Amino acid sequence: MIILGIESSCDETAVALVENGRRILSSEIRSQIEEHKIYGGVVPELASRCHVEALHPLLNSALENAGLSYTDVDAIAVTCGPGLQGALLVGVTAAETLAWLIDRPLIGVNHLEGHIYANFLSFPDQIEFPLLVLLVSGGHTQLLQMDGHGMYQVLGGTRDDAIGEAFDKVARLLGLPYPGGPVIDQLAQSGNPEAFPFPRSMLQEQDFSFSGLKTAVLYTVRKLEQNKQELPIADLCASFQSAAIDTLLEKTLRLIETKNIKQLSVTGGVSANSLLRSRLKTASQAQNFQVFMPPLQLCTDNAAMIAACAWYQWQKKPEDMRFKLQTRPRYPLSQI
Ligand code: KG4
Ligand code: ZN
């Protein structure tokens, strides 16, 4: 079964063709970073307009690169939430139209669940249930137990900022470009992670909090500026990153230990972080669990993960959502 996936929930327009949830035939992404950069973050109206412009050319190139035509497509999948309302509407309207035009079923996909399926796409024969999922993106930070396809128990979440949001906000206050995650990751390579003792917010429960860490960086920057000192950007990046990743690891590893978990799946944009990836690899050897992290191109937003997720959804419950699919700007995994 070949599924054409469409993703437009935030600032990436993407189209992909995936066979049976596991073989990527083509995956096209048009990032809007250049358009939003001058504003320091995503401007919703601009995002919608960019999606409108990008979708049609991407549909054409996805089919062309896969060597397929619309008649080869068996279903259309689209992200219906969570995300920016206007941006979601562009993707859902295009998908609905396309589904009618070629007379194929329409499958609505939760973007967060899509991120989780990036690992099923990459490691289809290795992942087993129950599985611990660490979902770390620009808008979400969650620990979940996955008991089967589409079955989630939320074990913990963030009380304030998502971890990707913290990376983006800290980058902004350091005068670095949007999105901040990859830039901080890169600059931290040449910095000292112990230069500034930023707080590790270790709430006793499984919830996260990153706003205190962000404020600590802000106060440190203000103090340095008041003293007319040049900002040691690399050291600030390394120290912030180290504190943020320590917090993630502490809670995740504690759960693995107490629940005797054998497999961990890490997904979402921040799973591209090099420190997180290397520390998890080391921990998995020391604590004897398996860790799955998508290849870098599947960590951040893409449509291949949406098409893959739709395939698993269709296997479980083949429901054509034409005429029924609504956009859901807020769409927690607990409501799936
Ligand atoms: O999953 P994603 O593409 O979009 C959302 O669903 O939110 O994640 C984007 C987030 C941004 O906050 C970006 O700064 C962060 O992922 N990110 C990273 C890295 N690459 C992307 N954060 C830390 N290190 C990275 N290498
Ligand atoms: Zn995402």
Side-chain angles (χ1 to χ4, degrees):
M1 179 180 189
I2 295 177
I3 299 187
L4 185 151
I6 296 177
E7 157 63 39
S8 73
S9 63
C10 190
D11 59 346
E12 256 105 24
T13 325
V15 177
L17 285 148
V18 177
E19 188 176 20
N20 295 337
R22 55 172 72 200
R23 197 161 83 88
I24 301 178
L25 307 175
S26 65
S27 178
E28 305 290 306
I29 302 173
R30 156 83 164 78
S31 161
Q32 303 174 3
I33 286 175
E34 284 310 312
E35 280 87 352
H36 298 291
K37 221 174 195 167
I38 49 169
Y39 304 103
V42 179
V43 181
E45 290 81 0
L46 188 55
S48 309
R49 194 183 326 143
C50 292
H51 288 308
V52 170
E53 287 167 5
L55 252 178
H56 200 213
L58 286 179
L59 284 164
N60 287 341
S61 53
L63 285 168
E64 194 180 316
N65 290 343
L68 299 175
S69 67
Y70 280 121
T71 49
D72 302 309
V73 173
D74 298 303
I76 307 288
V78 65
T79 302
C80 57
L84 302 169
Q85 174 68 301
L88 290 167
L89 272 171
V90 177
V92 168
T93 308
E96 176 103 40
T97 310
L98 204 51
W100 281 109
L101 271 174
I102 64 171
D103 195 19
R104 298 289 190 276
L106 177 68
I107 307 168
V109 174
N110 177 301
H111 179 81
L112 305 174
E113 195 174 20
H115 273 301
I116 292 171
Y117 277 82
N119 269 332
F120 286 92
L121 181 56
S122 312
F123 311 98
D125 301 316
Q126 294 170 52
I127 301 187
E128 286 163 14
F129 299 116
L131 175 74
L132 183 67
V133 177
L134 174 64
L135 175 63
V136 277
S137 73
H140 294 83
T141 306
Q142 283 190 319
L143 275 164
L144 307 143
Q145 181 172 316
M146 196 174 172
D147 297 310
H149 289 294
M151 293 164 69
Y152 308 98
Q153 282 181 60
V154 180
L155 303 177
T158 178
R159 300 235 176 129
D160 37 60
D161 291 345
I163 184 160
E165 190 180 358
F167 270 87
D168 296 338
K169 286 180 176 168
V170 165
R172 197 171 175 172
L173 68 91
L174 294 177
L176 301 171
Y178 173 86
V183 186
I184 290 182
D185 190 350
Q186 179 65 35
L187 288 168
Q189 315 267 336
S190 54
N192 174 7
E194 283 162 19
F196 298 95
F198 291 134
R200 272 85 174 141
S201 170
M202 296 303 174
L203 303 169
Q204 278 315 296
E205 308 92 279
Q206 279 140 212
D207 282 341
F208 300 99
S209 165
F210 293 103
S211 73
L213 170 59
K214 176 192 67 191
T215 310
V217 180
L218 174 69
Y219 287 153
T220 304
V221 168
R222 277 200 192 145
K223 206 163 151 198
L224 289 164
E225 282 172 346
Q226 272 161 10
N227 295 339
K228 309 246 176 304
Q229 283 174 269
E230 202 180 312
L231 293 184
I233 296 287
D235 286 351
L236 285 164
C237 286
S239 301
F240 158 75
Q241 178 175 266
S242 159
I245 301 300
D246 270 358
T247 311
L248 277 187
L249 282 170
E250 155 77 24
K251 288 168 195 294
T252 309
L253 297 179
R254 195 180 342 130
L255 260 184
I256 288 178
E257 176 113 22
T258 52
K259 289 192 147 222
N260 194 22
I261 282 162
K262 295 285 166 236
Q263 292 198 329
L264 169 70
S265 165
V266 190
T267 57
V270 183
S271 64
N273 184 267
S274 58
L275 180 66
L276 177 63
R277 292 175 85 92
S278 67
R279 297 237 354 233
L280 276 172
K281 271 185 197 145
T282 313
S284 68
Q285 280 154 13
Q287 268 180 251
N288 199 26
F289 64 92
Q290 253 183 309
V291 61
F292 299 102
M293 296 175 279
L296 292 183
Q297 71 275 16
L298 293 179
C299 289
T300 42
D301 290 350
N302 64 87
M305 66 186 194
I306 303 301
C309 183
W311 184 79
Y312 284 92
Q313 227 170 280
W314 189 260
Q315 300 312 303
K316 209 173 157 183
K317 190 174 171 217
E319 189 190 355
D320 182 357
M321 295 165 100
R322 275 184 285 176
F323 264 145
K324 286 183 277 187
L325 189 60
Q326 302 280 335
T327 52
R328 297 179 69 176
R330 278 177 227 288
Y331 188 5
L333 278 171
S334 53
Q335 285 179 11
I336 282 188

